[in-house]
Amino acid sequence: MSATVPFDNSHYEQACDQAIAMCDGNLRSTIKALIMANEYLEAELEELQAAISAGCIPDISRGRMRSESSAA
């Protein structure tokens, strides 16, 4: 029998409460804002995937690669 690790979802509960509070308790506005944020992140992801497919490396990654290679 394998032991199950209890899942702590308090972070999600707190994030939900915060999102609802930011929308003045209006649940429809909260859902709408979350959908809009998700669409924005999906668009960002698509742009990054296209850049990677084209052989481009985002500036942030280049900076990390330089710092990691100089640390070695």
Side-chain angles (χ1 to χ4, degrees):
M1 206 182 254
S2 64
T4 59
V5 178
F7 180 71
D8 178 22
N9 69 351
S10 61
H11 169 75
Y12 298 110
E13 292 294 329
Q14 186 178 22
C16 285
D17 291 341
Q18 184 179 15
I20 293 167
M22 289 172 58
C23 292
D24 297 325
N26 186 319
L27 298 181
R28 185 176 179 83
S29 293
T30 304
I31 293 168
K32 187 176 178 180
L34 293 173
I35 291 169
M36 291 170 65
N38 191 55
E39 287 178 349
Y40 172 80
L41 291 173
E42 286 175 350
E44 287 282 306
L45 179 60
E46 286 178 13
E47 286 181 25
L48 286 171
Q49 288 173 333
I52 290 168
S53 293
C56 299
I57 300 173
D59 289 338
I60 295 170
S61 297
R62 269 190 247 148
R64 284 188 193 141
M65 289 174 63
R66 284 189 198 122
S67 65
E68 288 172 1
S69 64
S70 64

